[in-house]
Amino acid sequence: MVLLKSQDDTTVEVDEMAALQSNMIKLVLEETHPDQYIPLGNVSGKVLSKIADYLTKQIEFASKKPQEIIEKNLLELKDDVAKAQADLKQWKKDVETWEDKYIDVDMGMLYDLYVAANYMDIEGLLYLCIEKIASLIRGKTVEEMREIFDIKNDFTREEEKKIQAEHKWAFTREEEEKIQEVI
C-alpha cells in the first residue's frame, strides 16, 4: 500500500499497483522509497480521494482485460467466438459506463481533476478529462463556451472583426454568417 498526502493534509491509502498508474508516483517510489507518505502539494483531499477511486477501479478493470476474457472463453467454450466477442463488448460497455458516471462532475471538480491528473501524470485520467471537456464544447458557439467556462469577453467588436479577418481559415461559412449577424 502507498500512502498519499494532499495539500490539506488528507491522507489516502492506495494499493501500490493502482498508485503506479501515476508516472509521478512511480518515479517517487523508484527513486526515494518514502517511509511515511508521498506529499502531493498541488492536490486537495477531495480531489485525491476521487483520483484514488479512479486508480483503484482501473486496476479492477485491468484484471478483467478483454484479451483475458477472449482467451478464457475460447478455451472454455471451444472457440465460441460470438460469446467471446459479447463478453468483450460487455466489458467495454462496463468501463465506459463507469467512466461516464465518474467524470460527470461540476466544472470546478473537472478542472481540479484535470490539473491533478496532469501534475500526477496519470495518462488515462488526463484523457478522460480532456474527452469530457471536448464533449462540453463540441458544437457550441463562442458565447456558449464562454458561458460554460465562465469566461468574460474582453474583446471589442472591432477586435473580434480583426481576429476573424486574420484567421478566416478557422471559421466555416455558417460561423462567419453568425458572427456577421452579431456584429
Side-chain angles (χ1 to χ4, degrees), residues 33-115:
H33 307 288
D35 292 331
Q36 297 175 358
Y37 58 84
I38 297 174
L40 299 171
N42 293 349
V43 182
S44 72
K46 184 177 176 183
V47 173
L48 183 57
S49 293
K50 185 111 173 123
I51 288 173
D53 292 343
Y54 174 85
L55 297 174
T56 302
K57 192 65 172 182
Q58 293 306 308
I59 289 297
E60 181 184 319
F61 284 135
S63 71
K64 300 173 186 172
K65 287 181 186 173
Q67 190 60 35
E68 292 174 5
I69 291 171
I70 291 170
E71 289 172 4
K72 177 184 174 209
N73 285 330
L74 289 177
L75 291 173
E76 289 177 5
L77 303 173
K78 303 205 188 307
D79 297 324
D80 186 349
V81 176
K83 173 71 172 132
Q85 289 174 336
D87 287 350
L88 175 60
K89 189 175 183 178
Q90 183 60 48
W91 181 86
K92 287 180 180 178
K93 183 179 178 185
D94 292 346
V95 171
E96 289 173 3
T97 300
W98 185 88
E99 287 181 343
D100 288 346
K101 185 178 177 185
Y102 174 86
I103 202 68
D104 188 21
V105 294
D106 63 53
M107 194 59 70
M109 177 58 86
L110 180 59
Y111 175 78
D112 291 343
L113 280 172
Y114 172 80
V115 170

Side-chain angles (χ1 to χ4, degrees), residues 140-152:
K140 301 287 193 277
T141 66
V142 172
E143 282 304 315
E144 289 170 327
M145 285 187 271
R146 284 187 181 127
E147 187 176 318
I148 289 169
F149 296 111
D150 196 25
I151 299 172
K152 180 182 169 243

Side-chain angles (χ1 to χ4, degrees), residues 157-172:
R157 292 196 186 273
E158 292 77 28
E159 289 171 328
E160 285 181 350
K161 280 185 179 181
K162 183 180 176 188
I163 290 169
Q164 182 187 7
E166 290 174 356
H167 303 284
K168 227 176 188 32
W169 57 269
F171 297 93
T172 65

Side-chain angles (χ1 to χ4, degrees), residues 157 174-183:
R157 292 196 186 273
E174 290 173 351
E175 290 170 328
E176 287 182 47
E177 290 170 1
K178 286 181 184 177
I179 292 171
Q180 290 303 321
E181 288 175 13
V182 172
I183 297 175

